[in-house]
Amino acid sequence: MTATQTTAPVDTLGAHLRGTVVLPGDAGYDEARAVHNGMIDRHPAAIARCADEVDVARAVLFAREHALRIAVRGGGHNAGGLGVWDNALVVDLSGMRGVHLDRSDWTVRVQGGATWGDVDHITVAQGRAVPSGLVSTTGVGGLTLGGGIGYLARLHGLTVDNLVEAQLVLADGSSVTASEEEHPDLFWALRGGGGNFGVVTSFRFRSHPVGEGGVVLGGPVLYDVADAGDVIRWYREVLPALPEEISGWLGLLRVPSGPPFPESLWDRPVCGIVWCWTGPHDRGQEVLGELAAYGSPLLVGMHDMPFSQLQSAFDGLYPPGYQWYWKADFYDQITDEAVHAHQRHGSRPPTSLSTMHLYPVDGAVTRVPEDATAFPHRSGGWAGVVVGIDPDPGNRELITGWSRAYWEALRPSAAGGAYVNFLMEEGADRVRAAYRGNYDRLARVKARYDPDNTFRVNQNIPPHRGETSP
């Protein structure tokens, strides 16, 4: 039996769905199975493009009846390409992208296949935003279920800290609402525990005022890579002391070769910080002016813009189909040894898009107890990731080798465990480490809601009923 063959009658599934089913041999099959990461080349048995929650339930029950593995695909992208799997039934939510902003309480109802660009389109026009990530093409479902680190985290917490409830289809095909009042154990687990517990068909979030009428101040400040050590040491001290209305992530990268960057900087290795101020503009201009005055920047690109513009600023750099290789960890602090590692490895990215990022995890994030949600990294610090990226499959070994070497050099300063949304297929030990002391509780919740591990194409937490996991 090949990867695209199955004994299940997948050609009959379409008769039971409002949506469509794409099968091997269909004209759109290769397009439907492709994911953002071009390194991933998997051949599912069928792709069920669901139109609604009933379709999702029917697809789940069909897969269980015919012993098909289930892969759940939202609307965005995943580091390990876990939205598809060989010989599996893909439950594809990408057609379910509705967003509704309730002006009575400013909560936002979002379907499971939406992207954050879909959400920002609705909320920013009203001067509001839901804390999310940093790229608008990211899927709402994947980012939320893993935690949600972005520009608003210091002020308003993670995406999971702003989740009010979730509607999901369980492994038995039933639909439940998880919230603080209903299925609270499941609600706890969904806030960081990934796709282990069911297929989330809709989320409801709190939104917050952002900037002045949705307009924020921000953008990049770029420094010569030779100054990276000094910039990183300054950044590690200044960022935690700044007002929570500002956030800024640091990267070692090459300047994109195109507007709005001056041609003299194209493809030049730099150390950059992308700042975002979401408070009143008069105070923000003062704070950003002080930050821009540090050192000898090559470029100061900060200005006022809609929050949605900042969120989508990097979309065009990373079209689907490029090769991606991720390695990640959390860091309680940026040690001097880590600074030296950044200088050695980050100063020479192997390809024009390969990069290292440090995202702050402090402020409001740390005011939530470690065991209050499944996301456990509440002690402050940074979520770090090294990403090798290139359009050419021939450079796969080049970018993976650089990412691994860089990550290994940073390991002595790691806090233990990585942001689950940055993990590829890295094994059970890495998944356990990502959840720290919350892992055993997650395994018990898994045993209650998915005892057969139906949903296992993910950063999997096998079910376990005991007090401690095996």
Side-chain angles (χ1 to χ4, degrees):
M1 184 183 298
T2 69
T4 55
Q5 292 175 331
T6 177
T7 57
V10 291
D11 56 334
T12 67
L13 175 60
H16 304 284
L17 305 183
R18 287 184 63 200
T20 59
V21 176
V22 183
L23 303 173
D26 288 353
Y29 176 74
D30 284 336
E31 180 182 357
R33 71 180 180 86
V35 293
H36 195 84
N37 187 350
M39 279 192 184
I40 309 302
D41 183 24
R42 298 192 180 114
H43 295 77
I47 300 156
R49 288 178 159 165
C50 299
D52 52 30
E53 186 176 70
V54 173
D55 276 4
V56 172
R58 288 176 175 173
V60 168
L61 290 174
F62 181 92
R64 294 204 64 181
E65 179 183 355
H66 297 287
L68 282 170
R69 188 166 293 198
I70 296 171
V72 181
R73 183 170 185 177
H77 33 76
N78 172 268
L82 296 174
V84 295
W85 201 259
D86 284 333
N87 207 32
L89 175 61
V90 175
V91 180
D92 188 337
L93 308 180
S94 60
M96 299 169 57
R97 297 178 62 168
V99 179
H100 174 71
L101 177 63
D102 187 338
R103 290 172 177 80
S104 68
D105 61 2
W106 297 109
T107 60
V108 188
R109 176 78 65 179
V110 184
Q111 286 189 299
T115 67
W116 285 106
D118 297 328
V119 179
D120 291 339
H121 176 71
I122 300 298
T123 59
V124 175
Q126 299 297 318
R128 305 184 73 88
V130 175
S132 61
L134 300 107
V135 178
S136 77
T137 57
T138 303
V140 170
L143 181 110
T144 300
L145 295 174
I149 299 170
Y151 289 114
L152 301 181
R154 299 188 72 233
L155 183 60
H156 296 302
L158 303 172
T159 307
V160 292
D161 301 331
N162 293 275
L163 182 64
V164 177
E165 66 179 32
Q167 188 81 15
L168 68 160
V169 172
L170 301 179
D172 63 2
S174 64
S175 176
V176 300
T177 299
S179 67
E180 292 284 5
E181 293 76 32
E182 300 180 74
H183 300 280
D185 55 341
L186 178 59
F187 186 58
W188 175 88
L190 292 174
R191 287 176 289 167
N196 277 282
F197 309 98
V199 185
V200 180
T201 55
S202 73
F203 302 85
R204 187 160 70 94
F205 301 101
R206 286 184 291 272
S207 69
H208 302 273
V210 61
E212 293 189 358
V215 176
V216 300
L217 302 174
V221 179
L222 304 181
Y223 302 87
D224 190 281
V225 75
D227 297 331
D230 291 336
V231 173
I232 296 171
R233 282 186 283 266
W234 168 75
Y235 170 79
R236 73 183 179 188
E237 301 300 326
V238 74
L239 189 283
L242 289 172
E244 291 178 1
E245 289 88 350
I246 193 169
S247 188
W249 59 268
L250 181 143
L252 291 167
L253 63 153
R254 293 190 186 185
V255 179
S257 297
F261 299 97
E263 191 170 355
S264 60
L265 296 181
W266 287 2
D267 206 37
R268 179 170 173 168
V270 296
C271 178
I273 304 174
V274 180
W275 296 106
C276 176
W277 171 269
T278 61
H281 285 192
D282 54 353
R283 174 64 174 141
Q285 288 167 347
E286 177 185 347
V287 173
L288 291 175
E290 293 172 357
L291 294 171
Y294 171 78
S296 302
L298 300 170
L299 173 74
V300 176
M302 296 186 291
H303 56 91
D304 63 304
M305 68 187 87
F307 183 66
S308 52
Q309 181 178 330
L310 181 62
Q311 287 287 86
S312 60
F314 302 98
D315 294 359
L317 291 176
Y318 303 116
Y322 283 8
Q323 307 283 300
W324 289 70
Y325 188 79
W326 304 61
K327 295 297 292 184
D329 270 317
F330 279 100
Y331 305 92
D332 289 337
Q333 55 185 315
I334 304 171
T335 65
D336 288 340
E337 292 75 17
V339 173
H340 296 320
H342 287 305
Q343 289 175 298
R344 288 196 309 275
H345 296 275
S347 62
R348 48 182 187 275
T351 61
S352 61
L353 292 172
S354 295
T355 185
M356 184 286 305
H357 293 173
L358 290 168
Y359 302 107
V361 183
D362 67 346
V365 179
T366 66
R367 292 193 287 274
V368 176
E370 191 169 289
D371 61 355
T373 68
F375 183 95
H377 301 275
R378 301 289 187 170
S379 58
W382 283 267
V385 63
V386 182
V387 193
I389 310 170
D390 197 68
D392 185 357
N395 285 329
R396 176 171 180 159
E397 293 305 316
L398 176 66
I399 61 176
T400 57
W402 174 77
S403 300
R404 288 172 181 154
Y406 196 162
W407 175 74
E408 288 285 359
L410 293 170
R411 289 288 284 164
S413 65
Y419 182 29
V420 71
N421 284 345
F422 290 161
L423 291 179
M424 297 188 72
E425 289 183 74
E426 301 181 34
D429 288 345
R430 286 281 279 166
V431 176
R432 175 184 286 272
Y435 290 111
R436 296 183 174 177
N438 289 339
Y439 183 89
D440 290 322
R441 182 178 173 185
L442 282 164
R444 294 193 295 272
V445 177
K446 175 76 167 180
R448 179 176 178 183
Y449 289 95
D450 184 17
D452 299 323
N453 206 9
T454 297
F455 302 109
R456 61 188 183 274
V457 181
N458 46 42
Q459 302 300 343
N460 193 232
I461 301 168
H464 183 67
R465 297 183 181 279
E467 290 302 313
T468 57
S469 59

